[in-house]
């Protein structure tokens, strides 16, 4: 499936209902490549992404979050705090921003492939780290359950531009 960029943006929605089949490995690689190509502060590339497909682990993840939506593949998007750029003036860790940019590109790549995704930030990080044996230097930023959507939902509740854009 090859889509125009703006069509892809308009078609993307938070998918919370997936078909029971697993997405193809080549599609997973295309989605991961989008994360690889994402811009990061100083090009340090601190993103670390776990691809969870093991049925036992997927079931265990439900202890850390109720928002798995029974997806057969879940990307756990992290960043390594020892690698990410930290702003000199206040020490702000830009790894969160970098990995969020990666997740955004992953969601758009998934949409272009006809795959649904949902950005999930409600989870127990300590539980996720234990289940997946994630190093302490990694911060878990979001989960992306992905799969073929059961239903396609329209964007019917978006603000108008004048409600959030400020021209000076």
């Amino acid at each position: 499936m090859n889509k125009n960029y703006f069509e892809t943006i308009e078609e993307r929605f938070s998918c919370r209902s997936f078909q029971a089949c697993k997405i193809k490995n080549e599609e997973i690689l295309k989605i991961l490549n989008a994360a690889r190509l994402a811009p990061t502060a100083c090009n340090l590339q601190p993103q670390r992404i776990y691809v969870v497909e093991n049925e036992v682990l997927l079931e265990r993840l439900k202890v850390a979050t109720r928002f798995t939506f029974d997806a057969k593949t879940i990307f756990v998007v992290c960043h390594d705090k020892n690698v990410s750029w930290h702003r000199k003036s206040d020490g702000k860790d830009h790894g969160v921003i970098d990995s969020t940019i990666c997740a955004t590109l992953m969601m758009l790549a998934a949409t272009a492939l006809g795959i649904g995704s949902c950005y999930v930030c409600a989870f127990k990080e300590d539980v996720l780290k234990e289940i997946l044996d994630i190093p302490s230097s990694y911060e878990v930023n979001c989960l992306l359950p992905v799969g073929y959507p059961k239903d396609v939902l329209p964007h019917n509740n978006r603000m108008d531009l004048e409600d959030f854009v400020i021209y000076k």
Side-chain angles (χ1 to χ4, degrees), residues 68-85:
T68 66
F69 308 113
D70 293 320
K72 300 299 180 193
T73 303
I74 297 178
F75 296 113
V76 179
V77 182
C78 309
H79 78 275
D80 186 340
K81 295 180 284 189
N82 294 333
V83 174
S84 57
W85 183 76

Side-chain angles (χ1 to χ4, degrees), residues 70-139:
D70 293 320
K72 300 299 180 193
T73 303
I74 297 178
F75 296 113
V76 179
V77 182
C78 309
H79 78 275
D80 186 340
K81 295 180 284 189
N82 294 333
V83 174
S84 57
W85 183 76
H86 294 78
R87 188 166 49 205
K88 303 286 184 259
S89 62
D90 61 3
K92 179 181 173 93
D93 182 352
H94 277 255
V96 173
I97 296 166
D98 292 341
S99 60
T100 301
I101 292 169
C102 289
T104 300
L105 293 185
M106 292 170 73
M107 289 185 290
L108 291 174
T111 300
L113 294 167
I115 295 168
S117 64
C118 188
Y119 188 99
V120 174
C121 55
F123 54 81
K124 298 173 188 166
E125 184 177 16
D126 57 333
V127 176
L128 278 175
K129 284 184 162 189
E130 183 180 327
I131 292 168
L132 298 176
D133 194 27
I134 297 174
S136 61
S137 68
Y138 289 17
E139 182 176 325

Side-chain angles (χ1 to χ4, degrees), residues 27-39 47 49 101-110:
E27 293 169 328
I28 290 172
L29 291 175
K30 286 179 181 180
I31 294 167
L32 291 170
N33 197 48
R36 183 182 71 83
L37 297 172
Q47 67 271 23
I49 300 166
I101 292 169
C102 289
T104 300
L105 293 185
M106 292 170 73
M107 289 185 290
L108 291 174

